[in-house]
Amino acid sequence: MKHYFAPEMQKRDNNATMTEFVSEYKKLVGLSEPEAKLAYVDVCRGLASYGVTHFRVQLRQDGKSNEKILGISRNGIIIQDAETRAIEKQYLLTQIKGFNSSPPQFYVINLGEHGDPINLITSSG
């Protein structure tokens, strides 16, 4: 089963993920190939990270840097844990009031009344 999961997913204990994987597989048994492909696309579209471009970043909060993944989509931004890929925060584009950058690869996302500014450092974008 491990060859079905990304390397990041294989590193951690993921019994819940494995159970969900098996239950979803059982739903697809007996489908024709086109039906199975359509079901696969439907599952992918249902993921929160579908259509998101990801960047590894250092999130600076309270003088500390934490490695995170910043996802940018057509609807907004997502901040994920770098190890588990769990979504920690989501902001719609309507919540983002501004965006500033300065070399080398330092970015600030201004959320206005929706929260404190997000300070990011990245070399990937």
Side-chain angles (χ1 to χ4, degrees):
M1 288 270 227
K2 288 192 174 193
H3 65 275
Y4 292 109
F5 292 98
E8 299 87 22
M9 295 294 289
Q10 294 175 14
K11 291 179 187 175
R12 61 190 178 115
D13 181 32
N14 55 4
N15 290 333
T17 303
M18 192 66 76
T19 304
E20 186 178 347
F21 178 78
V22 171
S23 71
E24 288 296 322
Y25 174 78
K26 287 180 181 178
K27 293 178 188 176
L28 302 177
V29 172
L31 294 180
S32 67
E33 185 177 342
E35 290 171 329
K37 287 180 179 179
L38 181 60
Y40 173 78
V41 170
D42 288 341
V43 169
C44 290
R45 286 183 177 167
L47 297 173
S49 60
Y50 178 75
V52 177
T53 303
H54 295 94
F55 300 94
R56 285 203 173 271
V57 298
Q58 292 293 322
L59 180 65
R60 298 184 64 191
Q61 293 176 314
D62 302 324
K64 299 178 184 176
S65 288
N66 300 314
E67 187 172 1
K68 302 290 181 187
I69 296 174
L70 175 69
I72 301 174
S73 73
R74 63 187 175 102
N75 299 325
I77 62 171
I78 299 171
I79 297 176
Q80 297 174 286
D81 184 86
E83 291 181 23
T84 64
R85 303 280 175 133
I87 295 175
E88 295 180 353
K89 295 179 185 176
Q90 265 184 300
Y91 300 100
L92 297 174
L93 287 179
T94 56
Q95 295 174 309
I96 299 171
K97 300 301 177 197
F99 177 89
N100 297 318
S101 66
S102 62
Q105 294 84 25
F106 180 74
Y107 302 95
V108 178
I109 300 171
N110 182 358
L111 299 172
E113 69 274 2
H114 299 289
D116 294 330
I118 301 172
N119 298 310
L120 305 167
I121 300 173
T122 183
S123 60
S124 62

